[in-house]
């Protein structure tokens, strides 16, 4: 998580950090976390980022 926070800080307002507290590196579509999947799908389909960093709780 430390490296993710450093990268997020380096990118400034050009990026958003989306976390899913479920462990491992596979999250999108593999861990069935609706919150994380919805945020990523919206970005990929419409290019829309969340207004702020998003911490998704585990399912």
């Amino acid at each position: 998580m430390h490296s993710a926070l450093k990268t997020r800080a380096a990118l400034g307002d050009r990026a958003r950090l989306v976390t899913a507290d479920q462990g491992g590196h596979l999250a999108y579509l593999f861990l069935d976390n609706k919150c994380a999947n919805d945020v990523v799908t919206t970005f990929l389909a419409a290019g829309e980022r969340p207004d702020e960093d998003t911490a998704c709780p585990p399912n």
Side-chain angles (χ1 to χ4, degrees):
M1 180 73 158
H2 177 72
S3 295
L5 292 172
K6 285 178 68 174
T7 302
R8 170 63 179 95
L11 293 173
D13 195 45
R14 297 174 294 166
R16 298 294 181 265
L17 179 65
V18 178
T19 57
D21 188 15
Q22 292 186 206
H25 286 87
L26 293 176
Y28 183 58
L29 300 180
F30 287 97
L31 295 180
D32 195 32
N33 185 302
K34 180 170 174 30
C35 168
N37 289 344
D38 288 352
V39 170
V40 174
T41 298
T42 298
F43 175 73
L44 293 174
E48 297 175 16
R49 301 178 298 175
D51 291 333
E52 55 190 27
D53 294 342
T54 304
C56 294
N59 287 344

